[in-house]
Amino acid sequence: MIKHAYMVGVLALGLAYSAPAPAAETMQLATDNCFQVGQNVAARQGATLVGAEAAQQNGASGCRVVLLYEAQGGERPRREEIFVAQ
């Protein structure tokens, strides 16, 4: 009985340590994809990309993109955060 409980514990521990790997790979792919999305949006809008990350909004998956627009007439640069659904 003790040997059986030990094996179940070791097996559960192994599953706990092996589970995050696919999620980490998926998150990296989403982050890379969001960076590309952010670069495209920034280029279209004439802005500078400050950051991009995978996000959810109202149940939809997509990217949160942060843009910086050049200052006009001595004002401060304008920062904009947008959500791009995918």
Side-chain angles (χ1 to χ4, degrees):
M1 181 69 171
I2 294 174
K3 188 174 189 178
H4 178 67
Y6 174 75
M7 289 301 290
V8 170
V10 169
L11 186 60
L13 184 61
L15 291 175
Y17 282 114
S18 65
E25 290 173 10
T26 302
M27 183 56 101
Q28 184 61 43
L29 289 174
T31 301
D32 291 345
N33 186 40
C34 285
F35 183 75
Q36 184 64 44
V37 168
Q39 286 181 322
N40 292 340
V41 171
R44 275 196 317 265
Q45 295 190 11
T48 301
L49 178 63
V50 175
E53 63 184 3
Q56 287 198 346
Q57 182 174 315
N58 299 328
S61 295
C63 302
R64 181 175 299 116
V65 177
V66 181
L67 303 171
L68 193 63
Y69 293 90
E70 190 174 316
Q72 300 291 323
E75 296 178 358
R76 291 177 43 164
R78 182 171 58 94
R79 180 184 182 275
E80 181 180 36
E81 187 173 314
I82 60 172
F83 178 79
V84 180
Q86 292 185 321

